[in-house]
Amino acid sequence: MKKMKQNGEKLTMITAYDYPSAKLAEEAGVDMLLVGDSLGNVVLGYDSTVPVTLDDMVYHSRAVRRGAEHTFIVTDMPFMTYHGGIDETLRNVRRIMQEGHAHAVKMEGGVEICLAVESIVKSGVPVLGHIGLTPQSVNQIGGYRVQGKDEQDARRLLEDAKALERAGAFGVVLELVTEEVAAEISRQLSIPTIGIGAGRGCDGQVLVYHDVLKYDSDYREKRFVKTFADIGAEIRRGIGQYVQEVKSGQFPAEKHVFQADDHVVESLYGKRKVDTRS
């Protein structure tokens, strides 16, 4: 990934939460998969990522790994699983790696989590940092707001990014950061930056699977997202047609059923087959 940054080759990352989404993403040629705690919103129906548990992340990570055996998989450390003692943090990381079969973990935060990042890296586990808008801290930072809009905030973000690099992180996600600040952070780091709503100067991009494909029953447009397919509409159309055809008797049709020989029916019921199409 560092070599890709040095060569100016953009990194591509998308979230995945289960076997089919991971398999399709791998077949499409994505560089990395993120088993994001955003599954709390788009899969489990929570209104934030805070309720997501370590068990949730292990379960979904294991399914993603089965679907994408040849792609680098990063799994989120969920809320409050890396803010206690180092021993507890490492136990939680061990579960993500050994039970979830991830290749790396992602952690939200800057300077304040660098001791934990350093310990995890020293234990042999790659860490992807995440600064800017950090959804696990949304209640503390006052909602889903763009970061880096003034000089003080920009300096804080740059300090956080450099601290994560010194701690051994192999890359940093920049979420909802002004384009100018994200570009400057990317320029000053030797490790790649992966943007989500952070503009064109990042070394790569990550988006949520359900945003890319508009896979939702009540999708809300987001300025930083481009929708590349409308899967939600196709799913509604397909299921709606299924319901209509079952109710009208169109499905199942003759080509969807299996026929027994006359002698089988006679031996079982003592009478010939009845035409069920009438």
Side-chain angles (χ1 to χ4, degrees), residues 48-159:
S48 76
T49 63
V50 172
V52 177
T53 67
L54 190 63
D55 285 340
D56 291 331
M57 297 310 303
V58 167
Y59 176 87
H60 287 273
S61 181
R62 193 162 54 230
V64 167
R65 179 62 186 275
R66 287 195 294 267
E69 296 181 350
H70 308 292
T71 304
F72 192 79
I73 297 169
V74 182
T75 297
D76 266 329
M77 295 291 293
F79 181 70
M80 292 298 290
T81 57
Y82 50 96
H83 294 87
I86 294 299
D87 288 344
E88 180 187 1
T89 295
L90 291 178
R91 281 195 297 272
N92 294 334
V93 171
R94 178 192 62 76
R95 288 200 61 201
I96 293 287
M97 301 299 289
Q98 288 188 331
E99 298 176 38
H101 307 301
H103 299 110
V105 297
K106 180 170 76 65
M107 301 165 63
E108 295 182 9
V111 172
E112 72 279 6
I113 67 163
C114 281
L115 286 177
V117 171
E118 188 174 357
S119 297
I120 294 167
V121 171
K122 284 181 177 178
S123 74
V125 176
V127 174
L128 179 63
H130 181 162
I131 60 174
L133 174 70
T134 47
Q136 291 177 13
S137 307
V138 69
N139 295 323
Q140 185 182 46
I141 62 179
Y144 296 92
R145 304 161 75 174
V146 176
Q147 307 292 298
K149 298 183 78 171
D150 57 51
E151 183 179 353
Q152 181 180 358
D153 203 32
R155 289 184 183 279
R156 174 186 63 82
L157 289 168
L158 181 58
E159 181 183 351

Side-chain angles (χ1 to χ4, degrees), residues 6-273:
Q6 293 164 2
N7 294 338
E9 181 182 352
K10 295 289 188 181
L11 286 156
T12 59
M13 189 181 213
I14 193 170
T15 63
Y17 310 106
D18 54 25
Y19 174 86
S21 63
K23 191 169 181 62
L24 289 168
E26 180 173 84
E27 290 171 355
V30 72
D31 294 313
M32 292 182 287
L33 289 173
L34 172 63
V35 186
D37 59 359
S38 49
L39 67 88
N41 303 94
V42 298
V43 176
L44 302 180
Y46 298 131
D47 60 3
S48 76
T49 63
V50 172
V52 177
T53 67
L54 190 63
D55 285 340
D56 291 331
M57 297 310 303
V58 167
Y59 176 87
H60 287 273
S61 181
R62 193 162 54 230
V64 167
R65 179 62 186 275
R66 287 195 294 267
E69 296 181 350
H70 308 292
T71 304
F72 192 79
I73 297 169
V74 182
T75 297
D76 266 329
M77 295 291 293
F79 181 70
M80 292 298 290
T81 57
Y82 50 96
H83 294 87
I86 294 299
D87 288 344
E88 180 187 1
T89 295
L90 291 178
R91 281 195 297 272
N92 294 334
V93 171
R94 178 192 62 76
R95 288 200 61 201
I96 293 287
M97 301 299 289
Q98 288 188 331
E99 298 176 38
H101 307 301
H103 299 110
V105 297
K106 180 170 76 65
M107 301 165 63
E108 295 182 9
V111 172
E112 72 279 6
I113 67 163
C114 281
L115 286 177
V117 171
E118 188 174 357
S119 297
I120 294 167
V121 171
K122 284 181 177 178
S123 74
V125 176
V127 174
L128 179 63
H130 181 162
I131 60 174
L133 174 70
T134 47
Q136 291 177 13
S137 307
V138 69
N139 295 323
Q140 185 182 46
I141 62 179
Y144 296 92
R145 304 161 75 174
V146 176
Q147 307 292 298
K149 298 183 78 171
D150 57 51
E151 183 179 353
Q152 181 180 358
D153 203 32
R155 289 184 183 279
R156 174 186 63 82
L157 289 168
L158 181 58
E159 181 183 351
D160 282 341
K162 287 185 171 181
L164 288 166
E165 180 179 38
R166 288 193 300 270
F170 71 85
V172 181
V173 170
L174 304 176
E175 181 168 359
L176 281 191
V177 175
T178 56
E179 183 172 58
E180 297 81 2
V181 172
E184 181 60 21
I185 291 173
S186 302
R187 189 186 69 80
Q188 292 201 32
L189 296 185
S190 65
I191 58 176
T193 59
I194 302 172
I196 176 167
R200 295 158 287 188
C202 296
D203 302 304
Q205 298 291 328
V206 59
L207 283 176
V208 171
Y209 189 92
H210 292 58
D211 286 339
V212 170
L213 301 177
K214 212 169 185 178
Y215 184 13
D216 197 342
S217 64
D218 186 26
Y219 185 77
R220 290 181 294 175
E221 298 289 342
K222 303 174 183 68
R223 179 175 175 177
F224 60 90
V225 170
K226 178 178 178 180
T227 297
F228 292 84
D230 191 348
I231 298 302
E234 278 298 294
I235 290 173
R236 282 190 295 273
R237 185 201 62 78
I239 296 176
Q241 185 175 345
Y242 160 71
V243 170
Q244 180 183 359
E245 291 195 10
V246 169
K247 289 183 177 297
S248 67
Q250 290 176 267
F251 177 82
E254 185 172 0
K255 64 181 179 180
H256 303 121
V257 301
F258 306 94
Q259 302 290 344
D261 293 336
D262 283 347
H263 74 274
V264 173
V265 176
E266 287 184 45
S267 66
L268 289 174
Y269 305 110
K271 57 183 178 180
R272 290 185 174 274
K273 288 193 296 185

